[in-house]
Amino acid sequence: MHVITGEIRKEPRVKAGANGTLYIVELSERYKDRDQQWQYTNYTFFFNAKSEGLNGWYQEAFQVGKVISVSCETLRIESREYEGKVYNTLQAGGFANLIFSQRGGQQQAPQQSQPRQQTQSQPRQNSEPPIDFDDDIPF
Protein backbone atom coordinates (compact mmCIF):
# COMPACT_ATOMS: atom_id res chain seq x y z
CA MET A 1 0.00 0.00 0.00
CA HIS A 2 1.17 3.53 -0.79
CA VAL A 3 0.42 6.61 1.32
CA ILE A 4 1.12 9.98 -0.28
CA THR A 5 0.87 13.33 1.46
CA GLY A 6 1.03 16.42 -0.68
CA GLU A 7 -0.29 19.84 -1.50
CA ILE A 8 -3.04 20.33 -4.07
CA ARG A 9 -1.39 22.23 -6.92
CA LYS A 10 -4.30 22.90 -9.29
CA GLU A 11 -8.01 23.38 -9.03
CA PRO A 12 -9.46 19.84 -9.06
CA ARG A 13 -11.53 18.80 -12.05
CA VAL A 14 -15.07 17.87 -11.07
CA LYS A 15 -17.44 15.83 -13.22
CA ALA A 16 -20.97 15.05 -12.05
CA GLY A 17 -22.49 11.84 -13.35
CA ALA A 18 -25.17 9.26 -12.70
CA ASN A 19 -22.85 7.26 -10.39
CA GLY A 20 -21.78 10.24 -8.27
CA THR A 21 -19.32 13.09 -8.58
CA LEU A 22 -15.83 12.37 -9.90
CA TYR A 23 -12.94 14.45 -8.53
CA ILE A 24 -9.58 14.44 -10.29
CA VAL A 25 -6.94 15.84 -7.93
CA GLU A 26 -3.29 16.65 -8.68
CA LEU A 27 -0.76 16.64 -5.83
CA SER A 28 2.89 17.52 -5.63
CA GLU A 29 5.53 16.41 -3.14
CA ARG A 30 8.56 18.67 -2.90
CA TYR A 31 11.95 18.16 -1.26
CA LYS A 32 15.51 19.41 -1.54
CA ASP A 33 18.15 17.00 -2.79
CA ARG A 34 21.78 16.83 -1.63
CA ASP A 35 22.68 19.72 -3.94
CA GLN A 36 19.94 21.84 -2.32
CA GLN A 37 17.88 21.78 -5.53
CA TRP A 38 14.11 21.36 -5.32
CA GLN A 39 12.82 18.03 -6.61
CA TYR A 40 9.16 17.30 -7.32
CA THR A 41 7.00 14.23 -7.63
CA ASN A 42 3.59 14.78 -9.22
CA TYR A 43 0.53 12.60 -8.62
CA THR A 44 -2.98 12.40 -10.05
CA PHE A 45 -5.79 10.73 -8.09
CA PHE A 46 -9.41 9.94 -8.90
CA PHE A 47 -12.13 10.04 -6.22
CA ASN A 48 -15.79 9.14 -6.68
CA ALA A 49 -18.28 10.70 -4.25
CA LYS A 50 -21.38 8.49 -4.26
CA SER A 51 -23.08 10.20 -1.30
CA GLU A 52 -23.81 13.80 -0.31
CA GLY A 53 -21.70 13.42 2.86
CA LEU A 54 -18.69 12.23 0.90
CA ASN A 55 -19.23 14.93 -1.70
CA GLY A 56 -19.23 17.61 1.03
CA TRP A 57 -16.01 16.22 2.53
CA TYR A 58 -14.32 16.19 -0.87
CA GLN A 59 -15.45 19.76 -1.64
CA GLU A 60 -13.90 20.94 1.64
CA ALA A 61 -10.71 18.89 1.25
CA PHE A 62 -9.92 19.39 -2.44
CA GLN A 63 -8.96 23.04 -2.53
CA VAL A 64 -5.79 24.54 -4.00
CA GLY A 65 -3.09 24.91 -1.35
CA LYS A 66 -4.51 22.37 1.09
CA VAL A 67 -2.57 19.31 2.17
CA ILE A 68 -4.14 15.86 1.95
CA SER A 69 -3.01 12.27 2.48
CA VAL A 70 -4.11 9.59 0.06
CA SER A 71 -3.71 5.82 0.13
CA CYS A 72 -3.85 3.39 -2.78
CA GLU A 73 -2.80 -0.18 -3.48
CA THR A 74 -0.83 0.41 -6.68
CA LEU A 75 0.77 3.29 -8.57
CA ARG A 76 1.42 3.49 -12.29
CA ILE A 77 3.44 5.98 -14.33
CA GLU A 78 1.87 8.19 -16.97
CA SER A 79 4.43 9.82 -19.28
CA ARG A 80 3.73 12.70 -21.62
CA GLU A 81 5.91 14.93 -23.75
CA TYR A 82 5.59 18.72 -23.82
CA GLU A 83 7.91 21.03 -25.73
CA GLY A 84 10.63 18.40 -25.97
CA LYS A 85 10.56 17.42 -22.27
CA VAL A 86 9.07 14.22 -20.86
CA TYR A 87 6.92 14.62 -17.76
CA ASN A 88 6.07 11.64 -15.55
CA THR A 89 3.09 11.59 -13.21
CA LEU A 90 2.22 8.80 -10.80
CA GLN A 91 -1.42 7.70 -10.73
CA ALA A 92 -3.31 5.25 -8.56
CA GLY A 93 -4.07 1.96 -10.30
CA GLY A 94 -7.72 2.34 -9.17
CA PHE A 95 -9.66 4.74 -7.01
CA ALA A 96 -7.68 6.21 -4.14
CA ASN A 97 -8.78 6.66 -0.50
CA LEU A 98 -8.63 10.05 1.20
CA ILE A 99 -7.23 9.40 4.68
CA PHE A 100 -6.42 12.96 5.82
CA SER A 101 -7.49 16.43 4.80
CA GLN A 102 -6.34 19.79 6.08
CA ARG A 103 -9.35 21.47 7.65
CA GLY A 104 -10.30 25.13 7.61
CA GLY A 105 -8.96 28.06 5.66
CA GLN A 106 -6.19 30.48 6.45
CA GLN A 107 -4.62 30.42 9.88
CA GLN A 108 -6.70 32.33 12.37
CA ALA A 109 -5.59 34.18 15.46
CA PRO A 110 -5.71 31.98 18.54
CA GLN A 111 -8.84 32.48 20.58
CA GLN A 112 -8.79 33.48 24.21
CA SER A 113 -9.56 30.59 26.48
CA GLN A 114 -10.37 30.37 30.14
CA PRO A 115 -7.43 29.23 32.27
CA ARG A 116 -7.72 25.59 33.19
CA GLN A 117 -7.35 24.31 36.65
CA GLN A 118 -4.57 21.81 36.84
CA THR A 119 -5.15 18.74 38.90
CA GLN A 120 -2.44 16.47 40.03
CA SER A 121 -3.09 12.84 39.50
CA GLN A 122 -1.47 9.95 41.27
CA PRO A 123 0.48 7.63 38.97
CA ARG A 124 -1.29 4.32 38.58
CA GLN A 125 0.25 1.38 40.32
CA ASN A 126 0.80 -1.52 37.96
CA SER A 127 1.83 -4.89 39.30
CA GLU A 128 2.47 -6.39 35.84
CA PRO A 129 6.04 -6.54 34.49
CA PRO A 130 6.83 -4.30 31.51
CA ILE A 131 6.23 -5.77 28.06
CA ASP A 132 9.34 -6.81 26.19
CA PHE A 133 8.35 -6.49 22.54
CA ASP A 134 11.44 -8.43 21.43
CA ASP A 135 9.83 -11.58 22.83
CA ASP A 136 7.17 -11.37 20.10
CA ILE A 137 9.64 -11.47 17.20
CA PRO A 138 9.67 -15.00 15.72
CA PHE A 139 13.36 -15.13 14.77
Side-chain angles (χ1 to χ4, degrees):
M1 177 187 304
H2 302 276
V3 176
I4 294 92
T5 300
E7 180 179 341
I8 297 177
R9 301 180 48 216
K10 297 180 182 178
E11 192 67 36
R13 292 173 288 194
V14 181
K15 298 178 182 181
N19 293 333
T21 304
L22 178 67
Y23 290 85
I24 303 169
V25 179
E26 294 185 25
L27 294 181
S28 177
E29 288 182 313
R30 180 177 81 161
Y31 66 94
K32 280 190 175 180
D33 62 16
R34 291 182 183 174
D35 299 328
Q36 298 303 308
Q37 299 295 315
W38 285 110
Q39 300 294 322
Y40 297 88
T41 303
N42 298 314
Y43 299 90
T44 301
F45 295 104
F46 300 87
F47 298 89
N48 192 18
K50 292 184 178 183
S51 70
E52 285 302 314
L54 197 54
N55 196 29
W57 185 34
Y58 287 170
Q59 286 176 351
E60 168 72 21
F62 300 149
Q63 296 178 22
V64 174
K66 287 198 173 182
V67 174
I68 62 172
S69 290
V70 176
S71 69
C72 61
E73 290 297 319
T74 60
L75 289 170
R76 62 183 178 88
I77 297 175
E78 176 191 296
S79 296
R80 59 186 153 83
E81 187 176 336
Y82 180 73
E83 294 183 357
K85 286 188 171 183
V86 175
Y87 294 89
N88 294 319
T89 300
L90 296 174
Q91 292 184 346
F95 282 101
N97 297 309
L98 180 62
I99 57 176
F100 167 81
S101 65
Q102 180 181 356
R103 304 299 289 177
Q106 298 293 333
Q107 294 220 354
Q108 300 174 357
Q111 296 187 6
Q112 295 287 337
S113 62
Q114 297 294 328
R116 290 191 218 165
Q117 291 182 348
Q118 293 186 354
T119 60
Q120 291 189 1
S121 61
Q122 296 284 335
R124 294 189 335 183
Q125 296 293 327
N126 191 354
S127 61
E128 295 179 23
I131 297 173
D132 185 4
F133 290 103
D134 290 339
D135 291 343
D136 294 340
I137 299 174
F139 51 87

